[in-house]
Structure formats: C-alpha cells, structure tokens
Amino acid sequence: KIQAQKKLVYDAFHDSLTGLHNRAWFLEELQKSIDKANHYQDYVFALLFLDLDGFKLINDTLGHSVGDKFLMEVSQRINDSIRFNDKLARLGGDEFTIIIDDVKDLSVISEIVDRIQTALQQPLILDAHEVFTSGSIGITLSSVGYETAEEMVRDADLAMYRAKTQGKSRSAIFNKTMHKVAVKRLNLENDLRKALEKQQFELFYQPIISVENQKIVGFESLLRWHHPEEGFMSPLKFIPL
C-alpha cells in the first residue's frame, strides 16, 4: 500500500515518457521561487522556456516511436547542461521549462543557454536515422516583478516566440514591449472575428495599365478593413492574423 501511494505521488509530479518533472510540479516550484524573490530583494532567478525546432517534422516523417526516443535523448542533454540546483520540467509536447536558481550574474544565464544550444545541435542517431534539432529559448527574470507562476510562464513563452521568429537556435529576453504587442494582436484578432458581420470590410479596385498603349487591361481587387479605432487597415496587417 505504501509503495502504491509513493507511485501515485511520483506519477502526479513526473512526466511518464522522460522521467522529468511535469507541469504541475513545475508551477508549484516556480510559485515558491516567485514568493522567495518577492520576500528577499537579493534573490533573483531566471525562467527559461524552451521549444524544440522541427519536432513535428520528426514525428510526422519518422513516426511517434522515434519521436519519443528523440524527446528522451533531448531531455537528457538539457538536464546535463544545467546546474544541480536548477529545476527542469517538461511542460508537454516539445516544450521544456527551467528555473535558473539564484542568479548572481547575468552571464550565468548566457552560459547555460549556450550549453543547452550546443548540446542540442549535436546530431542524434535514432533507429539508424541521423536527426538534427535546435531550440528556441525565451527568458524572463524574476526582477520584472511577478506575483503568479502563470504570468511568468506566459512572458517566457512570448519571449520564446520572439526568438523563434529570429531563426533557429536563438534566445530572447522578455521585455514589456513584447507583452504590449501580444495584447494588441489578441485585441485585433477578437475585432477581426466580428469585422465581417459588422460589414467593416471594403473592396477597392486598382487598375492595371498596359505600358505599351496606356489602356486598362485589368484590375487588382484590394480588401481594406475599416477598423473603428485604427481606421483603414492594410491587408499586410490583418491577413497574417
């Protein structure tokens, strides 16, 4: 019975595939670190949010069995790249989070990020397949001033997406501008869902003129969104949404 209870506790806080801690455990530990940082001024820690580049392609082309082995190997490499007092978890899929504990110097973060990136870039041999990967890493610091674990994970996630847009094997540190951009994008997405029923779209026709005889040979139809606050918006802004 005692063994069964221990297994239940273990399973509740560990990822069954990699053996790493899971989201539930990590959010608890992150909240403890946030509370500590808010209580002790000289205590600073960093949160790293890591997303693997190209994992979906590996899963789709080589199968889930190879994908699982890939995640297990990558987990070990990440674990070997951090210090004994840092905390690593697999949030799910190909997402990992790391608490870099007690940061006295920001160079410590750079060193750990570099170690992780270098480890990930080494080729993996899985079922006779040579597989390559890299990671996009978002970083946020406790000194920004957080109250909840969810807020800090959200901002690290935003920084990770910023890193991903810059190419592979990149990292980015969260700043307030990222949050403002994300909120604005979310608001625009919500407005866009209602724009059609509110008849806020308007078509403009731009003539195409032949250089040879100066005659109109066709038209290009251009959709504009007449946003109630932003005014006429170009498709460059709202088509990506």
Side-chain angles (χ1 to χ4, degrees):
K1 188 177 178 181
I2 292 170
Q3 286 298 107
Q5 285 177 337
K6 282 183 178 178
K7 188 177 186 310
L8 280 172
V9 171
Y10 182 88
D11 290 347
F13 291 109
H14 286 80
D15 173 48
S16 59
L17 176 65
T18 62
L20 296 179
H21 285 102
N22 62 12
R23 176 187 286 269
W25 177 89
F26 189 80
L27 290 176
E28 278 193 19
E29 290 299 312
L30 182 56
Q31 190 62 55
K32 288 177 190 172
S33 294
I34 289 170
D35 294 343
K36 184 178 176 181
N38 289 335
H39 194 265
Y40 298 102
Q41 283 190 328
D42 60 341
Y43 175 73
V44 176
F45 72 92
L47 171 61
L48 271 54
F49 192 113
L50 187 152
D51 181 271
L52 298 173
D53 301 317
F55 172 65
K56 187 178 184 300
L57 184 63
I58 292 167
N59 241 357
D60 292 348
T61 55
L62 301 179
H64 290 283
S65 174
V66 173
D68 285 351
K69 289 175 184 175
F70 169 79
L71 286 172
M72 290 163 70
E73 174 63 29
V74 162
S75 299
Q76 189 59 54
R77 290 188 182 191
I78 298 169
N79 203 26
D80 290 343
S81 303
I82 62 177
R83 304 168 307 171
F84 75 96
N85 57 325
D86 298 328
K87 294 163 185 169
L88 168 65
R90 180 186 174 212
L91 285 201
D94 60 345
E95 293 179 341
F96 298 84
T97 44
I98 304 155
I99 294 172
I100 306 298
D101 194 43
D102 199 15
V103 175
K104 301 291 187 192
D105 190 327
L106 293 180
S107 64
V108 169
I109 302 170
S110 300
E111 288 168 12
I112 292 170
V113 167
D114 287 345
R115 282 206 300 270
I116 293 170
Q117 296 287 25
T118 301
L120 291 179
Q121 286 164 15
Q122 305 307 310
L124 290 82
I125 308 299
L126 303 169
D127 290 359
H129 298 284
E130 191 174 40
V131 176
F132 293 88
T133 190
S134 57
S136 299
I137 300 175
I139 305 161
T140 190
L141 298 169
S142 61
S143 52
V144 169
Y146 291 99
E147 293 297 327
T148 68
E150 287 79 6
E151 287 173 335
M152 197 167 186
V153 171
R154 176 203 66 199
D155 287 353
D157 192 13
L158 281 173
M160 182 276 292
Y161 274 105
R162 177 63 184 271
K164 203 172 268 291
T165 62
Q166 295 171 347
K168 294 182 177 180
S169 287
R170 297 296 180 94
S171 62
I173 297 181
F174 172 80
N175 60 53
K176 294 290 183 185
T177 306
M178 288 181 195
H179 182 63
K180 287 176 185 173
V181 168
V183 169
K184 187 172 182 181
R185 181 187 173 93
L186 183 63
N187 288 336
L188 279 178
E189 280 183 10
N190 290 334
D191 292 343
L192 190 58
R193 292 177 195 278
K194 303 164 192 166
L196 195 61
E197 63 187 63
K198 290 185 176 179
Q199 298 184 320
Q200 292 173 351
F201 290 111
E202 196 173 333
L203 272 177
F204 289 81
Y205 295 97
Q206 186 166 294
I208 300 169
I209 299 170
S210 168
V211 176
E212 289 178 8
N213 54 27
Q214 300 300 303
K215 287 185 177 178
I216 294 174
V217 293
F219 289 91
E220 183 182 9
S221 60
L222 303 168
L223 189 66
R224 291 283 188 271
W225 177 15
H226 193 204
H227 191 277
E229 292 161 14
E230 302 280 338
F232 276 110
M233 287 179 66
S234 158
L236 285 174
K237 274 193 175 180
F238 67 83
I239 292 294
L241 290 175

